[in-house]
Amino acid sequence: MNILHETILKHPQQNIEKYTLENSQGYSVSFLNLGGAITSIMAPDKNGTFENVVLAYDHAEQYLENPYYLGALIGRVAGRIQDAQLGPYKLEANEGEHQLHGGPHGFQSAYWNVRTEKRDDAAVAVLTHFSRDGEGGYPGNLDVQVTYTLDCDNTFTIDYEARSDKDTWLSLTNHAYFNLSAYSGRNVLDHSLQLNAEGIAEMDGDQLPTGKWIPVKDTPFDLKTGKLVREAAESDNRHIGSAGNGYDHLFLLEQRDLNQIIVQEEESGRKMTVQTSEPAAVIYTANKMDTVHPLKAEQANGPYAAICVETQRIPESLLVPGLPTHRLAAHEAYRSRTSFTFGLV
């Protein structure tokens, strides 16, 4: 196991530092102290060629704005909040009147403290951040710890822990954009998705949850046996069309100790298995991604350039008895785990 560290951009406010976790099989994960943004996951194709399977910007300076939230940690609350209002608290809006992914000063724009540790069987980085009471409009002084671990079994695990001194709302995730075809320039229309979901959250015209769940049976959202992204993008389902002709939906996963999502691409032979303790995940196929913000030249760009698997809690408007919501009681421990295992089809 090995850990590398370098300064990639000197900045008057704070330098952008890059850390790389490596295992003995050649797999590696690179991330920044800015937003905890994952900039690279190197994994081999069926021919043994290692390539980066997450999208990355062409220039380090782009992470200062990061309009796509590429690879970033998302908080305090992932997703959209209608009218930027939670209970009596008015939050910072950043998508019209609404808030998206924690607002303009969310965790994606925070400089995280990083501590690394080499073990015999894993390379580990512990990222910590303190979010003050009232930051972004949210109540409570919040201590957050996120642990990135790359092990010898080619599994990259993200552990989230947090605690607030007031009742608040919290739903943490990571916004990595995966494309298993890597440097081929191919989009993800021929990637397959498999997951066990009971339903999807119904969304209105602003992609805000209405409070209703839609059963997945006999729809493009039934992914229990796997479907190509192309099948959804080319369907006439109105919920697909309203999201930009693809997935941008919150899936309610079946109630298990660990829920599993499988993404694979036949041509490269790569396979990614995601396991999560969370009850839901937003699957986003970059339907509305533009080409204004340049990515690495060898990677796909624009619509369908990647797939995001944003594991998260369930908003109160979609409350399901017995499953974790994004409401967090004062002094209650928040814990969540999502892992990504890379292999071959």
Side-chain angles (χ1 to χ4, degrees), residues 181-199:
S181 70
Y183 297 157
S184 70
R186 294 191 300 274
N187 61 33
V188 297
L189 287 174
D190 291 317
H191 281 46
S192 70
L193 276 166
Q194 183 179 352
L195 60 90
N196 289 317
E198 300 175 359

Side-chain angles (χ1 to χ4, degrees), residues 4-186:
L4 306 176
H5 172 218
E6 62 179 314
T7 300
I8 63 168
L9 181 66
K10 292 188 176 181
H11 192 265
Q13 179 183 353
Q14 189 167 341
N15 292 342
I16 299 180
E17 308 284 336
K18 183 174 82 169
Y19 297 81
T20 301
L21 311 178
E22 299 178 334
N23 73 9
S24 56
Q25 283 78 40
Y27 290 75
S28 67
V29 176
S30 297
F31 68 92
L32 307 179
N33 62 332
L34 175 56
I38 297 168
T39 60
S40 172
I41 297 179
M42 300 294 288
D45 65 7
K46 61 187 177 184
N47 299 314
T49 302
F50 279 82
E51 296 174 308
N52 185 8
V53 296
V54 296
L55 300 189
Y57 291 117
D58 201 25
H59 305 289
E61 292 89 344
Q62 291 172 272
Y63 285 94
L64 293 168
E65 297 296 331
N66 198 357
Y68 297 144
Y69 302 89
L70 281 192
L73 293 171
I74 301 299
R76 292 188 186 191
V77 172
R80 293 174 176 83
I81 298 175
Q82 186 170 7
D83 299 325
Q85 189 84 30
L86 279 174
Y89 297 96
K90 185 63 178 176
L91 311 179
E92 288 185 303
N94 63 330
E95 192 178 64
E97 297 178 350
H98 312 306
Q99 186 187 91
L100 175 65
H101 293 329
H105 302 101
F107 291 173
Q108 81 283 351
S109 62
Y111 285 87
W112 292 68
N113 298 310
V114 180
R115 172 176 57 83
T116 60
E117 176 185 349
K118 277 194 286 186
R119 302 174 187 167
D120 291 339
D121 60 349
V124 179
V126 179
L127 294 77
T128 56
H129 175 61
F130 176 69
S131 178
R132 296 185 185 280
D133 183 22
E135 186 173 276
Y138 288 93
N141 290 300
L142 184 75
D143 285 296
V144 186
Q145 176 176 295
V146 178
T147 303
Y148 289 164
T149 303
L150 177 65
D151 67 19
C152 296
D153 296 322
N154 310 324
T155 296
F156 172 55
T157 300
I158 307 178
D159 285 296
Y160 305 88
E161 299 176 58
R163 198 180 298 265
S164 170
D165 64 357
K166 291 182 180 179
D167 289 353
T168 191
W169 291 265
L170 192 66
S171 182
L172 305 177
T173 195
N174 181 275
H175 212 301
Y177 286 69
F178 295 95
N179 184 321
L180 300 184
S181 70
Y183 297 157
S184 70
R186 294 191 300 274

Side-chain angles (χ1 to χ4, degrees), residues 195-247:
L195 60 90
N196 289 317
E198 300 175 359
I200 61 160
E202 183 183 65
M203 300 290 181
D204 66 15
D206 290 333
Q207 285 300 102
L208 293 160
T210 65
K212 299 178 181 178
W213 291 98
I214 301 171
V216 301
K217 188 177 180 181
D218 299 325
T219 76
F221 303 99
D222 187 350
L223 303 175
K224 292 183 179 179
T225 59
K227 273 188 174 68
L228 295 180
V229 172
R230 183 181 302 280
E231 292 183 57
E234 295 176 353
S235 82
D236 59 2
N237 182 283
R238 66 184 180 90
H239 300 291
I240 290 288
S242 64
N245 297 319
Y247 294 121

